[in-house]
Amino acid sequence: MADGIPGPDSVGPAPAVRPFLVTAGRVADAGSGRALPLETQVVATSEGLEALAGLSFEQHDIVAACRLPQSLAELAARLRLHLNVVRVLAEDLREAGQLAVYVPDAGATRDASVLRRLIDGLRAIPDSRGVPSDTD
């Protein structure tokens, strides 16, 4: 962790606090009727970065990690937090103006050509030996 920002390889013990305590018992889809999709992109606002010192531990980590845009799924994995906890806290941070949230177009997520390009991109990533995977 450099400068208080959780790094991509910051793997430590899992948090000892139960998820329902972090969210005060709230669930991800209680307010809007629908949870934010896991591919939703989030990025810290200037107000969020200025308010870092006054945020709770989890909120601080989320805003600090979102200096660059990333998905809720990436954020949950990076911070070792439950995805629904990240969803609830991201909503809270958005409402406070500390996080910008960009929900993907629902039509694009169901487009077969987008999924095909994703699969092709994943296959082009070299494995640990540096060889692209070409399994079908």
Side-chain angles (χ1 to χ4, degrees), residues 43-133:
V43 65
T45 63
S46 57
E47 292 86 3
L49 294 173
E50 290 171 6
L52 276 174
L55 297 175
S56 71
F57 294 116
E58 294 82 9
Q59 289 177 330
H60 175 278
D61 288 349
I62 288 172
V63 173
C66 288
R67 293 176 193 268
L68 296 174
Q70 58 191 298
S71 72
L72 290 176
E74 291 172 309
L75 188 57
R78 183 176 187 185
L79 299 178
R80 296 183 51 114
L81 289 171
H82 192 281
L83 179 59
N84 282 331
V85 169
V86 173
R87 283 176 167 153
V88 170
L89 296 179
E91 270 296 331
D92 292 348
L93 290 165
R94 175 173 72 166
E95 289 175 11
Q98 297 164 342
L99 203 64
V101 175
Y102 301 96
V103 180
D105 177 26
T109 60
R110 292 179 178 85
D111 184 354
S113 67
V114 172
L115 294 175
R116 175 49 62 192
R117 288 195 315 265
L118 174 66
I119 291 168
D120 292 344
L122 290 172
R123 286 191 177 133
I125 297 172
D127 65 11
S128 61
R129 298 168 292 165
V131 179
S133 63

Side-chain angles (χ1 to χ4, degrees), residues 19-27 88:
F20 64 85
L21 292 175
V22 175
T23 63
R26 293 173 294 140
V27 293
V88 170

